[in-house]
Amino acid sequence: MPLRTEQTFFLEDVATFKEQLLNWGQQYETIVFLDSNTYAQTYSSFDCVLAVEEFTSIKTDFHEGFEKLKEYQSYTKDYIFGYLSYDLKNDTERLKSDNFDGLDFPDLYFFQPQKLIFIKNNEAYFSYLRVVDDEIEDDFEQILGTISKEIVNENSEVKIKLRIHKDEYHSKVGKVIDHIKRGDIYEANFCQEFYAENAEINPYNVYVHLNQISQPPFATFFKSEELYLLSASPERYIRKEGAKIISQPIKGTAKRFVDPIEDEKIAFDLARDEKERSENIMIVDLVRNDLSRTAKKGSVTVEELCKVYSFKQVHQLISTVVSEIKEDVHPVDVIRDTFPMGSMTGAPKISAMQIIENLEETKRGLYSGSVGYFTPEGDFDFNVVIRSILYNAEKKYISYSVGGAITAKSTPEKEYEECLLKAKAMKYVLTNPLKQ
């Protein structure tokens, strides 16, 4: 007997239904909402999906985290949604995470949703576990009858603080460059945290605002009890389609301009910028090496190298690396052998992670980790948690972090400016609440 009952409904107004869907989902304690914002992705399964209400779940620290996930995924043989925190690096390597943590997210969390609703083109595809499949038609009618919430200023005053101030940031970037000059590493992704204490926000409102001004291909609203992720990520970490593995690292950033001629020029310049391209190519080499561990011999190839993709806030250089996995490889092993993603660590990966752990002031946690899902067939798709706000409602602690790739050609001032550019959207939605 199949685990799930499936039913499809035609949608007259997809954009409105999508808003109603997320609004309706707020009644549940556990929510994952993934939205591609109709962005023309190279690889995609659906336009958006809502997964709600735990049936089973796994929540653990990093110790044997991947082995526990493998056991859970193999046992459920169903859709599971969740996240991998950056600190799972401590499960695969002799590393540690001793920096300050104001958020207290578990290192790994996945759940088997009772209710799944996909949107693709002009259809809503409901996939409910049999224990709740009699609720499909009623839920569809409820969603259609959901009135969009009025977005008003419900946030307390949010005062953003810097964990690392500008002069200290310059000094720390200088130390990364010293490591590069000594030959310890070629590149490192050094990150800094912006945070607010004793602050309250309406996570739904903040997410809607962030998504409106960013419209990225890997937007995420995640809720697990008092913990929230509000993400405008533009980056895919890794995807599995049958035997094919796809990784799409981002490295290389330029700001957008209102004037179309200026905007086109800066995108043109980004594609030819020697420093930005070198950042990207070093990470492509790292990704190729990571994928080769589980790939059939000779199957790792680069489909796109340093292609410019344009988003609402920034232009980015994105490369696409693919491979074909060996027949006997478990899906979780592909993730274990490539995690954390090279775009958020540096090269060589282990040395870079050791250096940035010593220089950063904050435990990364879910930031620079990944949110995504597994299918019953063992396929998966995961983003990179960047351009994201993390919120612990119980502790009233808000955090967003940004980083950049430091190479031998980096200058601390330009790296600092790039961080502020990446942080702009998160700061804006927290300090300028959306009003209607």
Side-chain angles (χ1 to χ4, degrees):
M1 182 181 292
L3 282 173
R4 293 182 174 272
T5 299
E6 296 162 353
Q7 195 167 344
T8 302
F9 299 90
F10 178 77
L11 302 177
E12 293 183 1
D13 184 342
V14 174
T16 299
F17 186 82
K18 191 189 294 184
E19 291 176 11
Q20 293 170 319
L21 183 62
L22 179 57
N23 196 334
W24 172 82
Q26 298 300 307
Q27 65 186 288
Y28 296 101
E29 287 290 307
T30 306
I31 306 169
V32 172
F33 182 75
L34 307 176
D35 188 359
S36 67
N37 285 294
T38 65
Y39 196 84
Q41 296 178 49
T42 313
Y43 297 93
S44 181
S45 298
F46 46 78
D47 299 329
C48 83
V49 60
L50 177 74
V52 295
E53 199 166 8
E54 284 185 6
F55 185 64
T56 65
S57 67
I58 177 175
K59 186 184 295 185
T60 183
D61 63 12
F62 68 83
H63 182 65
E64 296 186 349
F66 284 108
E67 200 58 40
K68 292 171 185 174
L69 176 59
K70 184 192 288 191
E71 182 181 334
Y72 179 64
Q73 191 275 332
S74 300
Y75 173 75
T76 57
K77 289 187 172 61
D78 190 18
Y79 286 100
I80 58 172
F81 285 70
Y83 70 76
L84 309 157
S85 83
Y86 173 79
D87 301 288
L88 284 167
K89 65 184 174 59
N90 307 334
D91 181 38
T92 57
E93 306 293 345
R94 297 184 66 180
L95 298 167
K96 59 184 180 179
S97 300
D98 292 333
N99 290 328
F100 171 77
D101 178 12
L103 288 161
D104 291 332
F105 277 65
D107 290 334
L108 182 150
Y109 170 72
F110 279 84
F111 75 104
Q112 180 185 14
Q114 293 190 36
K115 301 181 178 184
L116 262 176
I117 303 169
F118 300 91
I119 298 176
K120 182 71 173 179
N121 299 323
N122 291 94
E123 292 183 330
Y125 173 73
F126 284 59
S127 179
Y128 278 30
L129 288 179
R130 297 186 71 85
V131 292
V132 292
D133 64 2
D134 59 338
E135 299 175 21
I136 290 179
E137 293 194 7
D138 285 346
D139 283 355
F140 179 63
E141 293 301 322
Q142 281 184 27
I143 295 166
L144 290 178
T146 300
I147 300 171
S148 294
K149 290 182 180 179
E150 184 180 359
I151 308 298
V152 294
N153 183 358
E154 297 179 5
N155 299 351
S156 62
E157 186 177 358
V158 177
K159 294 181 179 179
I160 306 296
K161 301 177 184 178
L162 286 75
R163 187 68 63 186
I164 300 173
H165 289 275
K166 187 174 181 180
D167 289 347
E168 189 181 6
Y169 177 87
H170 282 209
S171 173
K172 287 175 179 285
V173 169
K175 290 177 181 178
V176 176
I177 294 171
D178 288 342
H179 279 288
I180 293 170
K181 289 177 177 177
R182 286 200 298 268
D184 300 331
I185 50 173
Y186 306 113
E187 176 180 341
N189 193 284
F190 175 65
C191 301
Q192 59 174 319
E193 183 196 25
F194 298 79
Y195 68 101
E197 299 170 298
N198 298 314
E200 294 183 70
I201 58 173
N202 181 312
Y204 173 85
N205 290 2
V206 172
Y207 168 78
V208 169
H209 196 186
L210 183 63
N211 195 34
Q212 279 183 6
I213 67 172
S214 303
Q215 295 182 23
F218 297 100
T220 303
F221 180 96
F222 168 85
K223 171 190 174 186
S224 178
E225 298 176 343
E226 77 282 0
L227 302 175
Y228 293 86
L229 166 71
L230 319 170
S231 178
S233 174
E235 183 172 2
R236 169 179 276 130
Y237 156 42
I238 197 165
R239 176 179 171 89
K240 178 178 178 289
E241 292 182 353
K244 187 172 186 177
I245 305 297
I246 304 105
S247 183
Q248 295 181 296
I250 290 179
K251 271 288 161 275
T253 305
K255 64 181 177 181
R256 298 296 308 265
F257 282 91
V258 175
D259 181 86
I261 295 173
E262 278 189 289
D263 195 54
E264 187 175 338
K265 181 182 183 302
I266 200 166
F268 180 87
D269 291 342
L270 175 63
R272 286 149 187 82
D273 187 293
E274 187 178 336
K275 175 192 172 290
E276 303 286 355
R277 286 181 65 87
S278 69
E279 284 182 19
N280 193 297
I281 290 167
M282 277 190 272
I283 298 306
V284 166
D285 286 342
L286 187 155
V287 171
R288 289 171 62 198
N289 182 65
D290 283 351
L291 290 182
S292 69
R293 298 178 189 177
T294 54
K296 290 182 178 178
K297 190 174 181 180
S299 70
V300 180
T301 58
V302 180
E303 287 189 347
E304 290 179 337
L305 184 64
C306 298
K307 182 176 177 180
V308 175
Y309 284 78
S310 299
F311 303 96
K312 284 278 189 178
Q313 308 288 330
V314 292
H315 299 290
Q316 305 269 201
L317 288 183
I318 303 180
S319 294
T320 300
V321 189
V322 302
S323 68
E324 186 178 353
I325 59 168
K326 302 168 188 172
E327 285 84 356
D328 59 345
V329 173
H330 192 280
V332 173
D333 288 337
V334 178
I335 296 172
R336 187 200 330 239
D337 287 347
T338 57
F339 193 85
M341 61 293 300
S343 61
M344 296 306 298
T345 56
K349 187 185 278 189
I350 296 173
S351 298
M353 288 191 289
Q354 290 170 331
I355 289 166
I356 56 184
E357 176 69 26
N358 290 332
L359 291 173
E360 292 175 359
E361 298 290 334
T362 312
K363 179 181 174 181
R364 289 194 184 181
L366 184 48
Y367 169 70
S368 74
S370 184
V371 172
Y373 64 91
F374 290 86
T375 71
E377 298 76 29
D379 287 343
F380 55 72
D381 202 4
F382 285 86
N383 71 3
V384 179
V385 179
I386 53 174
R387 321 290 161 82
S388 301
I389 295 165
L390 292 155
Y391 178 47
N392 184 320
E394 186 177 315
K395 295 180 70 174
K396 300 181 182 180
Y397 188 88
I398 301 168
S399 171
Y400 61 92
S401 295
V402 291
I406 312 302
T407 69
K409 295 180 180 179
S410 294
T411 60
E413 184 61 38
K414 285 188 177 179
E415 295 298 335
Y416 190 75
E417 289 173 2
E418 183 176 314
C419 283
L420 295 182
L421 174 64
K422 291 174 178 175
K424 184 179 178 182
M426 284 90 76
K427 180 179 181 181
Y428 182 79
V429 299
L430 288 169
T431 56
N432 296 274
L434 183 63
K435 298 176 184 179
Q436 287 187 342

